[in-house]
């Protein structure tokens, strides 16, 4: 379930992710997001395990490909799934607070299954087609970012539908992660 809180935020520099964003945002997390239903230690899980095989089939995805990026000098595991239908997905475990994402152009504070989140769809990307991303507040200083993206421009679907797909995948991720964390 997604609940939009519709904040109008002052745009900062265009960034596709939290990489390079300051984590010392002046707005406290508690002012932006509700209390977390659970705290998810993203460092104890694999990005590729966040979508079950059944969920991957529902999203029409092939197998996930793991990789690691660096965010502020810390490892940030990712998993990328390519689609048979043109909408690919990426999940990234980011060792930073998601409040920095509120500085991105077009950012909206929202919720994913009771977790605070920030959604944005940058007007410009670094090559390829459009992207819609959701940065989810998983635990103190830990973010799960779910991206829906296309490899073509013009995209096979409008950006609002791309964001609906990102929202659907983010909900699936949080369902899987919460179920796994409670074991």
């Amino acid at each position: 379930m997604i609940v939009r809180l519709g904040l109008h935020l002052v745009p900062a520099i265009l960034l596709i992710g939290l990489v390079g964003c300051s984590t010392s945002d002046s707005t406290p997390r508690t002012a932006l997001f509700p209390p977390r239903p659970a705290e998810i230690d993203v460092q104890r899980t694999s990005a590729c395990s966040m979508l079950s095989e059944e969920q991957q089939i529902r999203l029409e995805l092939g197998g996930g490909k793991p990789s690691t990026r660096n965010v502020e000098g810390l490892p940030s595991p990712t998993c990328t799934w390519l689609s048979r239908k043109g909408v690919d997905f990426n999940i990234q475990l980011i060792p930073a607070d998601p409040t920095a994402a509120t500085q991105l152009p077009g950012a909206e504070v929202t919720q994913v299954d009771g977790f605070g989140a920030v959604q944005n769809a940058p007007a410009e990307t670094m090559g390829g087609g459009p992207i819609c991303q959701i940065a989810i507040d998983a635990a103190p200083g830990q973010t799960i970012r779910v991206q829906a993206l296309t490899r073509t421009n013009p995209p096979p679907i409008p950006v609002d539908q791309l964001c609906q797909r990102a929202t659907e995948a983010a909900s699936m991720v949080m369902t899987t992660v919460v179920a796994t964390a409670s074991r």
Side-chain angles (χ1 to χ4, degrees), residues 32-90:
L32 291 173
F33 303 132
R36 297 174 195 95
E39 287 194 7
I40 308 299
D41 184 357
V42 300
Q43 301 305 314
R44 298 186 57 156
T45 189
S46 158
C48 287
S49 70
M50 292 187 165
L51 285 174
S52 69
E53 190 173 322
E54 179 182 308
Q55 292 166 332
Q56 291 173 43
I57 291 168
R58 262 184 63 199
L59 293 169
E60 300 175 332
L61 302 174
K65 180 183 176 194
S67 64
T68 301
R69 297 190 178 112
N70 282 327
V71 174
E72 297 181 3
L74 298 171
S76 180
T78 67
C79 191
T80 302
W81 289 268
L82 299 180
S83 170
R84 299 178 210 62
K85 300 288 183 169
V87 178
D88 303 330
F89 289 90
N90 183 62

Side-chain angles (χ1 to χ4, degrees), residues 64-169:
K65 180 183 176 194
S67 64
T68 301
R69 297 190 178 112
N70 282 327
V71 174
E72 297 181 3
L74 298 171
S76 180
T78 67
C79 191
T80 302
W81 289 268
L82 299 180
S83 170
R84 299 178 210 62
K85 300 288 183 169
V87 178
D88 303 330
F89 289 90
N90 183 62
I91 295 173
Q92 186 173 8
L93 311 177
I94 301 174
D97 194 89
T99 57
T102 63
Q103 302 302 308
L104 297 172
E108 292 181 43
V109 174
T110 187
Q111 290 184 33
V112 176
D113 295 355
F115 288 84
V118 180
Q119 175 181 303
N120 86 308
E124 297 179 24
T125 62
M126 293 188 265
I131 185 171
C132 185
Q133 57 191 4
I134 302 173
I136 304 164
D137 181 36
Q142 297 185 52
T143 298
I144 298 171
R145 181 175 66 181
V146 177
Q147 297 175 315
L149 54 139
T150 64
R151 289 173 271 159
T152 61
N153 206 355
I157 61 174
V159 173
D160 63 330
Q161 289 180 21
L162 188 64
C163 287
Q164 289 173 359
R165 297 291 308 271
T167 297
E168 178 184 10

Side-chain angles (χ1 to χ4, degrees), residues 164-175:
Q164 289 173 359
R165 297 291 308 271
T167 297
E168 178 184 10
S171 181
M172 289 178 181
V173 164
M174 296 315 292
T175 297

